[in-house]
Amino acid sequence: MSRQLLESQLSAPLPQAPELVLVTDLDGTLLGGATEERRSFYRWLAQQRERVLHVFCTGRDLASIARVLQEDEPIGLAAPHLVISDVGCTVACGCSLAPVPLAVDPIEARWQGVEARLLPLLKGQPGLTEQPLHSERRLAYYVDPEHFDHGLIPQLEAHGVDCLMSDNRYLDLLPAGVNKGSTLMALLEWLEVDRSTVVTAGDTLNDLAMFETGLKGVMVANAEAGLLEHLPRLPSVYLASSEGCSGIAEGLRHFGFDHLWD
């Protein structure tokens, strides 16, 4: 019933029995690597659309994702089946990019009243510049690490948020308990898929929550140093020797999905 409800809120059908559920970050991961390597991987994804259920899992907002799809259409990047955006705070149909109420409404409930409590604390803080995003369930800032007061983070988290720093330059304030991993796990429950078919891929600290789920994961070679530090405690995560799309493909072969290239 949960899968039927999810599909009723989408504008395009999902693969009925996917052999692989591929969950990819965008910047540095699916959008990473040489153009020809990306073109080849995007072509493979398009050919396997009925066998591979593809999910974007990104810090970008929906408007930014729409721009990426338009800009990269010439080299073959197609819309995914589903989107997790805003570092886990939004779930949308991959085709229409329309938010999915089943997934978004519980996150929205956690965010109620939080932003009003946070903004007075954030106003005028040195080392913070607001990112130009269109998101209703998180706050996002660029960080100048030399001037930012890290003592502010526990003050913010006391008001019902989790503070996530990634790539030493991005700060996301998310509803407590909401991240890429938590939202992905909820989505998989609705999809009713075999967890052994799921592979995640990423390159920055905002992908750590995906890797901490225990699902198969691919950390691409260009992963940030802060994420690489966690690798020893992530036994289900494979560190690729290649960057971006080539790293994803390498990881899929490592996990035994070679048959999808036949």
Side-chain angles (χ1 to χ4, degrees):
M1 174 58 101
S2 58
R3 182 182 171 107
Q4 291 178 350
L5 179 56
L6 175 67
E7 290 188 316
S8 73
Q9 298 180 354
L10 304 176
S11 63
L14 301 174
Q16 288 306 300
E19 297 174 50
L20 167 66
V21 178
L22 179 60
V23 185
T24 59
D25 174 52
L26 289 181
D27 297 279
T29 306
L30 188 67
L31 302 181
T35 299
E36 284 307 311
E37 294 172 345
R38 293 167 61 198
R39 193 190 306 274
S40 175
F41 191 73
Y42 299 163
R43 185 186 309 117
W44 173 80
L45 274 175
Q47 293 169 345
Q48 302 299 330
R49 196 159 181 85
E50 294 304 313
R51 302 170 75 187
V52 177
L53 194 161
H54 187 199
V55 183
F56 286 179
C57 194
T58 176
R60 287 179 179 258
D61 63 13
L62 294 177
S64 178
I65 292 169
R67 290 194 297 273
V68 164
L69 289 169
Q70 183 178 30
E71 291 166 1
D72 282 22
E73 184 179 13
I75 61 171
L77 180 61
H81 295 94
L82 293 162
V83 167
I84 297 172
S85 64
D86 296 311
V87 203
C89 295
T90 300
V91 177
C93 170
C95 180
S96 66
L97 295 183
V100 177
L102 173 68
V104 170
D105 288 352
I107 299 172
E108 181 69 36
R110 289 182 179 226
W111 188 245
Q112 289 298 316
V114 174
E115 185 171 349
R117 298 196 296 270
L118 294 176
L119 290 178
L121 292 172
L122 291 161
K123 186 176 181 180
Q125 287 289 339
L128 288 183
T129 304
E130 190 173 358
Q131 293 185 39
L133 298 177
H134 303 280
S135 177
E136 299 176 357
R137 288 165 293 279
R138 68 154 168 162
L139 294 172
Y141 292 84
Y142 298 116
V143 177
D144 177 349
E146 292 186 7
H147 297 96
F148 176 62
D149 177 11
H150 288 265
L152 180 64
I153 288 180
Q155 298 177 47
L156 296 168
E157 291 185 333
H159 288 274
V161 294
D162 289 336
C163 294
L164 176 59
M165 188 87 74
S166 59
D167 207 20
N168 203 33
R169 55 180 174 149
Y170 301 115
L171 174 65
D172 288 293
L173 284 72
L174 312 172
V178 175
N179 51 57
K180 286 185 176 184
S182 65
T183 300
L184 172 59
M185 295 304 284
L187 183 59
L188 294 177
E189 287 288 337
W190 295 316
L191 288 170
E192 300 172 358
V193 296
D194 181 349
R195 301 290 173 81
S196 68
T197 66
V198 182
V199 178
T200 65
D203 70 307
T204 70
L205 277 170
N206 71 19
D207 298 311
L208 178 60
M210 284 200 303
F211 294 144
E212 289 177 329
T213 61
L215 298 165
K216 297 183 183 75
V218 181
M219 198 179 291
V220 293
N222 51 299
E224 69 165 296
L227 182 61
L228 289 168
E229 290 176 2
H230 293 272
L231 188 62
R233 65 176 184 85
L234 300 170
S236 61
V237 175
Y238 170 75
L239 177 61
S241 60
S242 303
E243 299 184 359
C245 283
S246 291
I248 301 173
E250 178 188 332
L252 290 176
R253 291 186 172 96
H254 167 80
F255 286 119
F257 291 94
D258 308 65
H259 64 284
L260 292 174
W261 268 266
D262 296 338

